[in-house]
Amino acid sequence: MAKPADPQQALLLLYPALRSLPAGQLAALCQAATLLQLPAGREVFAEGQTCTGFPLILHGTIKVVKISAGGREILLYRVPAGDSCVITSSCLLAGSPYSARGIAETPVSLLLVPIAVFEELVATNRPFRDFVFRLFAERIAELMQLVEEVAFQRLDQRLAKLLLARGDAINCTHQTLAEELGSVREIVSRLLKNFAAAGFVSLAREQILVVDRAGLRQLADAGR
């Protein structure tokens, strides 16, 4: 993966809150931060691990997951370039360890801002502080929606909603879908076969083609 030619320029494009920093403070931030380049599948942080800095993602996507004692995984949210991880912010502000796991879903480039620099920015720079706390509000809303879906919607409805969000041609394994839904592959495979029998989708190796979006939508919205 190519190293970003100008991390400072990339930061200003992706994180407008940093444009309010004086030139010297911005240069000091970039000098203090560590540029990390991670391949897809690499663990970014582990549950129970101490947080070492605030990530500013320049390229790629990190997925944040929770894993049960039995090994089942559920996707909490994704962190794309220009965004940041609310669990990391929470750990830094509270001085607590990570409560979930972060994995590079694609090749990732990020700048890891040292804790002292993050704390100074939160204390002295209002746009940056607003950016951090806006993330809290957005992620809490997303997590509340996830809790509602898991608690009150059937798995077939959640799967239908997920397929609709992914587009008409979905290239992934049944295991990947199961992890995103917090289920197991066997159940998701059975539901997909039911969808295919109903004419909603067509199944191929590591590919799902949506052929009846209206039917899937009706299923996803059932009971609302």
Side-chain angles (χ1 to χ4, degrees):
M1 179 171 50
K3 181 177 179 177
D6 187 349
Q8 182 169 317
Q9 184 178 14
L11 273 183
L12 294 179
L13 289 172
L14 292 166
Y15 295 93
L18 297 178
R19 296 174 189 170
S20 64
L21 291 178
Q25 192 174 8
L26 178 62
L29 182 154
C30 292
Q31 184 175 4
T34 302
L35 178 64
L36 300 178
Q37 296 181 285
L38 309 173
R42 174 71 62 84
E43 182 176 81
V44 183
F45 55 83
E47 186 166 355
Q49 178 183 331
T50 300
C51 184
T52 59
F54 184 75
L56 296 171
I57 301 175
L58 306 178
H59 173 79
T61 301
I62 295 171
K63 66 175 182 179
V64 180
V65 301
K66 186 74 174 179
I67 301 175
S68 72
R72 286 176 58 182
E73 179 180 299
I74 185 169
L75 175 72
L76 299 181
Y77 56 86
R78 289 183 170 89
V79 188
D83 209 333
S84 196
C85 177
V86 69
I87 286 180
T88 298
S89 304
S90 176
C91 292
L92 289 172
L93 294 171
S96 59
Y98 280 106
S99 57
R101 184 183 181 209
I103 302 167
E105 191 167 40
T106 67
V108 168
S109 292
L110 64 86
L111 281 174
L112 189 66
V113 179
I115 296 175
V117 177
F118 169 80
E119 291 175 341
E120 180 183 358
L121 285 172
V122 170
T124 63
N125 188 267
R126 180 172 180 175
F128 183 81
R129 183 168 61 249
D130 289 345
F131 163 71
V132 170
F133 286 103
R134 175 176 57 81
L135 281 179
F136 272 105
E138 292 175 354
R139 293 301 187 204
I140 287 173
E142 291 176 10
L143 292 174
M144 288 300 293
Q145 182 179 356
L146 176 62
V147 169
E148 180 180 345
E149 290 175 354
V150 172
F152 302 118
Q153 286 189 336
R154 301 193 314 263
L155 186 60
D156 60 343
Q157 293 174 296
R158 295 174 56 217
L159 177 57
K161 181 180 177 181
L162 177 59
L163 295 178
L164 288 167
R166 288 289 192 91
D168 291 334
I170 304 155
N171 297 302
C172 69
T173 66
H174 296 186
Q175 178 65 36
T176 299
L177 294 175
E179 290 173 357
E180 190 152 344
L181 293 168
S183 183
V184 294
R185 180 185 57 78
E186 292 78 8
I187 294 176
V188 168
S189 294
R190 184 166 68 247
L191 289 174
L192 287 171
K193 289 178 182 177
N194 292 342
F195 287 4
F200 297 155
V201 302
S202 174
L203 302 178
R205 182 175 178 82
E206 296 190 5
Q207 185 180 64
I208 302 162
L209 300 176
V210 175
V211 295
D212 183 359
R213 293 187 66 85
L216 276 181
R217 174 60 62 191
Q218 185 176 6
L219 174 60
D221 294 341
R224 288 189 175 183

